[in-house]
Amino acid sequence: MTIYTGPVFDMARDQFQVIADYLEIPHDERPRLLFPKRAIVVSCPIHLDDGRVAVYQGYRVQHHLTLGPTKGGTRFALSVDIGEVAALAVWMSWKCALAGLPYGGAKGGVTVDPRALSPHELENLSRRYMQEMIPFVGPHTDVMAPDMGTNEQIMAWFMDTYSMYQGRTVTEIVTGKPVASGGTLGRREATGRGVAYLVARALERIGRQTAGATAIIQGFGNVGSYAAETLAERGTKLIGVSDHTACYYDPRGLDVAALVTHAREHGSLAGYSNQLSFDPHDLLTQQCDVLVPAAMERVIDASVAAKLQCRVLAEAANGPTTPDADEVLNQRRGEIFVIPDVLCNAGGVVVSYFEWVQDLQQFFWDEDEVMTKLYHVLDRAFAQVMNRADRDKVPHRTAAMAIGVEKVRSAKNTRGLFP
Ligand code: NAD
């Protein structure tokens, strides 16, 4: 029996079994690698603007502490439950290890629709969530970051709340903060830019150019919008885009700058255009060179996978592809080049790591230095995944996750089992 239930955790567990079989990890060693070290569940009561008190469930899962502190985002969404948070923490572990970062994975979240709260209520909830987590987190224990439904402002409230309790400013407790509050240049854009960088690498591998390629992006928040901007800078034509409010498609190409301006001004894509509206259910399966799911988990199941018409699937979201869909994609390996999530969206945590290092040292880098170091880490991880996949004739996801799992396993085995 486990408390980690639900389709997202099942997916993380199934993926792990595939890797464990491939690496021939003995069965009695597997639970120690898969199951989280700690899970914290809190109730967060806050005052609403109308005087009532509301209580929200909050979670934080720390997957393993073997390589250093844990690291991971905080999600504010109605889907958040312990299984989803645990799965995201497990994925973070493989991702950090693949990128060579001295972290275990973590994830946190609150079951709430942040759009339904006023700014004041959102601040109350953010501060109370961090206050509840203080006994369990710290710059050398567990470092938070943004994820779906949270942003730089919320990270600033987290950092301020933690600092107030410590009696001094502790910028290194969270990453993804505003630059004015100890954040790093380049963090806001890092995940989306990293996605676009790896898309260019993937297109190169299949003998295509970024300039003139077509792209479809699902999700137009932090990751999707910066991926769109960076792809457009590199000459790629965005032909389809969606968020939770709207979906647009135009084979002649959409105006990325206008979409970004609209989304930043209005908070979503709704109202951008009436003529270009499209059925969101059909968006992912339209013909394009590059498909970027950048919203949520499990949007590509086996039936969608069979209908995909892209050359590169760049998994900017965490867990967008189900294990059933993987089986289909494995058979279509020559047709569709998958950049698996643990590689594709690693730019975010890599620059979060840079932010943490800068905060600890109180020594800040310019943006060029951040981006050069980011691309170096992504190149190294991409090369490792390609080499492993070619050597063992395994899918890119298997190669990427196996490199992460191996590093965690090796650290656990060399440290030994206490007591
Ligand atoms: P965000 O909250 O900034 O944006 C999420 C976007 O997804 C919004 O545009 C929202 O409208 C859209 N969306 C939600 N439901 C949708 C639906 N049903 N159909 C289409 N679009 C929908 O979140 P984000 O930070 O951009 O994160 C997006 C994904 O990337 C998540 O899976 C997250 O875990 C992953 N990720 C984020 C980071 C980061 O640095 N922010 C890093 C790594 C991975």
Side-chain angles (χ1 to χ4, degrees), residues 75 88 92 95 107 115 146-150 187-188 190-192 218-225 242-246 267-269 280 293-297 299 316-319 345-349 352:
R75 178 172 286 195
L88 289 160
M92 274 301 284
K95 188 187 306 182
K107 207 79 181 189
R115 298 180 200 95
D147 191 73
M148 226 163 101
T150 58
R187 173 61 185 90
R188 185 186 297 170
T191 313
Q218 180 191 51
F220 210 64
N222 173 282
V223 180
S225 65
S242 70
D243 72 358
H244 71 290
T245 62
S268 72
L269 291 174
M296 46 195 218
E297 301 93 38
V299 291
N318 284 307
N345 65 36
V349 71
S352 275

Side-chain angles (χ1 to χ4, degrees), residues 216 239-241 247-254 275-279 283 286-287:
I216 291 178
I239 59 170
V241 69
C247 176
Y248 305 115
Y249 176 76
D250 186 349
R252 294 166 302 171
L254 295 159
Q275 292 80 37
L276 302 173
S277 286
F278 194 72
D279 184 345
L283 185 70
Q286 294 308 299
Q287 189 160 28

Side-chain angles (χ1 to χ4, degrees), residues 175-406:
T175 60
K177 301 176 295 291
V179 173
S181 301
T184 182
L185 295 165
R187 173 61 185 90
R188 185 186 297 170
E189 305 86 355
T191 313
R193 282 189 188 164
V195 170
Y197 186 80
L198 292 171
V199 163
R201 282 275 170 283
L203 286 169
E204 237 169 61
R205 290 269 305 192
I206 60 170
R208 303 287 283 265
Q209 293 201 326
T210 322
T214 55
I216 291 178
I217 301 184
Q218 180 191 51
F220 210 64
N222 173 282
V223 180
S225 65
Y226 283 109
E229 274 188 339
T230 315
L231 285 169
E233 280 161 23
R234 290 165 177 260
T236 299
K237 188 161 77 168
L238 183 70
I239 59 170
V241 69
S242 70
D243 72 358
H244 71 290
T245 62
C247 176
Y248 305 115
Y249 176 76
D250 186 349
R252 294 166 302 171
L254 295 159
D255 182 341
V256 172
L259 284 163
V260 168
T261 305
H262 181 91
R264 288 185 190 149
E265 266 171 24
H266 299 89
S268 72
L269 291 174
Y272 172 74
S273 161
N274 288 332
Q275 292 80 37
L276 302 173
S277 286
F278 194 72
D279 184 345
H281 295 110
D282 293 334
L283 185 70
L284 299 180
T285 52
Q286 294 308 299
Q287 189 160 28
C288 60
D289 293 311
V290 182
L291 177 64
V292 186
M296 46 195 218
E297 301 93 38
R298 300 172 67 247
V299 291
I300 300 175
D301 60 15
S303 77
V304 174
K307 288 187 266 174
L308 290 180
Q309 298 191 70
C310 58
R311 296 298 319 280
V312 172
L313 172 60
E315 294 183 344
N318 284 307
T321 307
T322 65
D324 286 358
D326 268 338
E327 284 178 24
V328 177
L329 291 174
N330 293 347
Q331 281 159 16
R332 301 185 65 193
R333 236 188 283 172
E335 290 167 69
I336 299 178
F337 185 107
V338 177
I339 314 175
D341 53 1
V342 292
L343 172 63
C344 192
N345 65 36
V349 71
V350 171
V351 177
S352 275
Y353 166 64
F354 296 159
E355 181 174 334
W356 179 71
V357 168
Q358 291 171 74
D359 284 337
L360 287 170
Q361 299 185 341
Q362 293 291 299
F363 179 66
F364 291 88
W365 312 344
D366 63 28
E367 191 171 339
D368 276 354
E369 188 172 357
V370 172
M371 297 315 293
T372 306
K373 285 188 159 80
L374 167 64
Y375 295 144
H376 171 72
V377 174
L378 293 181
D379 273 334
R380 185 180 62 196
F382 185 80
Q384 285 173 354
V385 172
M386 293 305 116
N387 291 342
R388 182 67 172 256
D390 290 349
R391 187 193 80 186
D392 289 359
K393 313 232 168 335
V394 290
H396 295 164
R397 186 182 322 286
T398 305
M401 286 195 167
I403 294 168
V405 170
E406 260 174 358

Side-chain angles (χ1 to χ4, degrees), residues 17-31:
Q17 298 305 352
V18 171
I19 306 305
D21 288 345
Y22 158 62
L23 294 176
E24 298 179 348
I25 298 175
H27 282 271
D28 66 341
E29 206 184 319
R30 297 183 185 191

Side-chain angles (χ1 to χ4, degrees), residues 12 15 60-64 67 69-74 84-108 142-147 175 187 318-319 341-343 345-350 352-353 401 404-405 408:
Q15 287 173 341
R60 185 81 187 161
V61 173
Q62 299 166 349
H63 178 228
H64 77 82
L67 287 164
T70 48
K71 183 87 192 73
T74 310
E84 181 182 281
V85 173
L88 289 160
V90 171
W91 289 327
M92 274 301 284
S93 286
W94 315 147
K95 188 187 306 182
C96 290
L98 171 64
L101 309 181
Y103 291 140
K107 207 79 181 189
D142 184 11
V143 181
M144 295 185 184
D147 191 73
T175 60
R187 173 61 185 90
N318 284 307
D341 53 1
V342 292
L343 172 63
N345 65 36
V349 71
V350 171
S352 275
Y353 166 64
M401 286 195 167
V405 170
V408 177

